[in-house]
């Protein structure tokens, strides 16, 4: 038995998604931006995780396909609203919905994606629906809680490492964790086995968000698909900033405080100043190290899953690719 590859999973997902939200669904003012968002060319990591987790336990992944689409649809809903909250103009190299259309359109088409996610989630093995729905709801609430912490933290300078970790666990990691757990359950995994995949996804998700924080400062904008420096502009409490606030002393700390307290009014200059401080403190190297620690923890979680090592090859490859990503 060979496992589905990343590309095979992605093709299954992409084909399914392009068959929805296109064509003549009315009103077009609602469905056109929703379809635009879904077809912008995301990496499709979460639904691929769902299919691969299912495929660990079962040769048949059909029953996981619509829940996988549900997780991608929910993810896109969060991105549409996140881009309003973060004043982000570009996503996946294209204008965000609230800039291409209006904030009202982004709110409502985002809501629509959230509701469609629930509709797709229920298109699976009927006996599993209550369990899957419970997991999904818990995750969805945590994402909202994480997003609220993210906003609250913009106004604070004393955010601790622990608070940051909880924030990213909720806003980012639990969605990847649940994507894996739901796939595993549909594939027939026991509760304890599916929980190991949850932990794998949680640690992978933590590494993923620290990597996202790093890319927000250092990526090549044309590859990353998002505007560089958005986190610095918005005073986001990222892994980098928390580490810099911990390590900077004397004049350097004063300069960092001045920049984040609005002492530099030009956003481009603010970005350059903060980035210089990160460079001086070697923050990117420290962040890479932290990313690899969470990645290694994720690998340990995967190792504990009770299926043959050969069945895990594709998931391992995906995880390794994620921490080396540039977008
Ligand atoms: C972006 O997620 C949101 C974060 C959790 C950092 P992705 O980087 O998976 O976004 P797409 O779907 O591939 O665009
Ligand atoms: C991602 O946080 C969390 C959610 C979208 C729920 P970010 O705000 O860092 O994501 P990007 O960088 O805009 O993709
Ligand atoms: Mg954002
Ligand atoms: Mg955000
Ligand atoms: Mg980000």
């Amino acid at each position: 038995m060979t496992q589905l590859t990343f590309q095979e999973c992605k093709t299954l997902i992409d084909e399914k998604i392009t068959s929805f939200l296109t064509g003549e669904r009315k009103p077009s003012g609602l469905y056109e931006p929703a379809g635009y968002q879904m077809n912008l060319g995301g990496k499709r990591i979460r639904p691929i995780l769902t299919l691969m987790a299912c495929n660990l336990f079962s040769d048949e992944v059909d029953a996981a396909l619509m829940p996988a689409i549900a997780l991608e649809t929910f993810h896109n809903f969060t991105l549409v609203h996140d881009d309003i909250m973060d004043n982000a103009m570009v996503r996946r190299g294209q204008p965000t919905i609230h800039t291409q259309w209006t904030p009202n359109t982004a709110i409502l088409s985002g809501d629509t994606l959230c509701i469609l996610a629930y509709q797709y989630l229920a298109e699976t093995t009927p006996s599993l629906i209550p369990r899957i729905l419970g997991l999904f709801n818990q995750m969805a609430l945590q994402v909202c809680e994480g997003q609220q912490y993210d906003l609250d933290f913009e106004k604070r300078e004393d955010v601790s490492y622990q608070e940051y970790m909880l924030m990213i666990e909720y806003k980012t990691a639990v969605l990847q964790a649940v994507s894996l757990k739901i796939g595993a359950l549909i594939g027939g995994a026991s509760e304890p086995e599916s929980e190991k995949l949850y932990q794998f996804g949680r640690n992978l998700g933590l590494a993923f968000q620290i990597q996202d924080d790093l890319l927000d400062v250092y990526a090549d904008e044309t590859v990353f698909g998002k505007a560089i420096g958005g986190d610095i502009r918005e005073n986001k409490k990222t892994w980098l900033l928390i580490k810099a606030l911990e390590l900077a002393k004397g004049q350097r700390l004063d300069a960092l405080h001045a920049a984040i307290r609005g002492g530099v009014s030009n956003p481009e200059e603010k970005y350059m100043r903060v980035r210089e401080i990160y460079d001086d403190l070697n923050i990117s190297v420290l962040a890479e190290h932290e990313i690899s620690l969470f990645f290694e923890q994720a690998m340990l979680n995967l190792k504990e899953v009770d299926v043959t090592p050969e069945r895990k090859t594709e998931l391992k490859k995906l995880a390794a690719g994620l921490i080396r990503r540039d977008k």
Side-chain angles (χ1 to χ4, degrees), residues 229-287:
D231 288 341
I232 292 175
R233 184 192 65 223
E234 298 294 319
N235 278 334
K236 294 293 184 189
K237 296 308 169 299
T238 60
W239 195 92
L240 291 79
L241 182 55
I242 288 173
K243 198 61 176 176
L245 284 167
E246 179 196 318
L247 295 180
K249 302 277 176 282
Q251 278 185 345
R252 195 175 277 146
L253 182 60
D254 294 342
L256 186 55
H257 276 141
I260 64 179
R261 284 174 189 160
V264 187
S265 54
N266 178 325
E268 185 56 29
E269 199 181 324
K270 179 179 177 182
Y271 165 72
M272 291 309 292
R273 292 242 189 126
V274 174
R275 181 184 160 151
E276 246 172 61
I277 297 171
Y278 290 167
D279 289 346
D280 292 344
L281 294 168
N282 249 327
I283 299 290
S284 65
V285 176
L286 301 174

Side-chain angles (χ1 to χ4, degrees), residues 72-90:
E72 179 66 14
T73 307
F74 184 83
H75 165 61
N76 278 275
F77 145 65
T78 72
L79 296 182
V80 174
H81 285 197
D82 177 73
D83 286 335
I84 304 174
M85 295 188 266
D86 294 350
N87 297 306
M89 315 277 282
V90 192

Side-chain angles (χ1 to χ4, degrees), residues 64-326:
L65 187 56
M66 286 312 289
I69 303 291
L71 289 149
E72 179 66 14
T73 307
F74 184 83
H75 165 61
N76 278 275
F77 145 65
T78 72
L79 296 182
V80 174
H81 285 197
D82 177 73
D83 286 335
I84 304 174
M85 295 188 266
D86 294 350
N87 297 306
M89 315 277 282
V90 192
R91 159 112 18 221
R92 301 170 180 155
Q94 300 293 326
T96 48
I97 297 189
H98 69 101
T99 35
Q100 178 85 345
W101 285 269
T102 62
N104 282 346
T105 296
I107 292 168
L108 202 59
S109 54
D111 292 340
T112 303
L113 289 174
C114 180
I115 295 159
L116 286 171
Y118 279 90
Q119 186 184 315
Y120 303 152
L121 189 69
E123 293 180 37
T124 188
T125 318
S127 60
L128 287 173
I129 293 173
R131 178 77 188 113
I132 289 175
L133 193 58
L135 286 167
F136 193 89
N137 283 336
Q138 184 189 11
M139 172 281 292
L141 274 179
Q142 285 173 329
V143 171
C144 292
E145 290 164 12
Q147 287 289 77
Q148 184 62 47
Y149 285 130
D150 183 272
L151 293 175
D152 291 344
F153 292 175
E154 286 175 19
K155 291 169 209 71
R156 284 180 44 198
E157 279 178 21
D158 62 347
V159 176
S160 67
Y161 173 79
Q162 283 73 20
E163 287 179 298
Y164 167 81
M165 289 309 298
L166 187 74
M167 183 261 286
I168 68 165
E169 174 175 355
Y170 282 12
K171 77 169 183 173
T172 299
V174 294
L175 178 53
Q176 299 190 10
V178 150
S179 299
L180 284 150
K181 184 160 182 169
I182 287 177
L185 288 169
I186 295 171
S190 66
E191 186 61 37
E193 290 304 311
S194 71
E195 184 55 27
K196 290 176 194 166
L197 281 147
Y198 183 94
Q199 293 306 330
F200 165 65
R202 181 180 164 278
N203 283 309
L204 201 60
L206 296 172
F208 186 87
Q209 184 59 50
I210 299 170
Q211 178 88 349
D212 181 73
D213 287 359
L214 186 61
L215 289 169
D216 202 273
V217 179
Y218 290 104
D220 172 344
E221 208 162 64
T222 55
V223 180
F224 191 37
K226 301 185 267 195
I228 297 307
D231 288 341
I232 292 175
R233 184 192 65 223
E234 298 294 319
N235 278 334
K236 294 293 184 189
K237 296 308 169 299
T238 60
W239 195 92
L240 291 79
L241 182 55
I242 288 173
K243 198 61 176 176
L245 284 167
E246 179 196 318
L247 295 180
K249 302 277 176 282
Q251 278 185 345
R252 195 175 277 146
L253 182 60
D254 294 342
L256 186 55
H257 276 141
I260 64 179
R261 284 174 189 160
V264 187
S265 54
N266 178 325
E268 185 56 29
E269 199 181 324
K270 179 179 177 182
Y271 165 72
M272 291 309 292
R273 292 242 189 126
V274 174
R275 181 184 160 151
E276 246 172 61
I277 297 171
Y278 290 167
D279 289 346
D280 292 344
L281 294 168
N282 249 327
I283 299 290
S284 65
V285 176
L286 301 174
E288 297 280 9
H289 179 67
E290 181 93 345
I291 291 163
S292 62
L293 290 181
F294 283 109
F295 173 74
E296 279 160 26
Q297 188 53 54
M299 286 303 151
L300 290 178
N301 299 133
L302 186 60
K303 206 168 172 201
E304 284 169 19
V305 176
D306 193 15
V307 302
T308 60
E310 299 77 61
R311 290 198 87 108
K312 300 175 188 170
T313 317
E314 291 299 326
L315 261 181
K316 267 195 206 159
K317 269 202 267 177
L318 189 166
L322 277 190
I323 66 155
R324 278 189 265 100
R325 76 202 157 98
D326 51 13

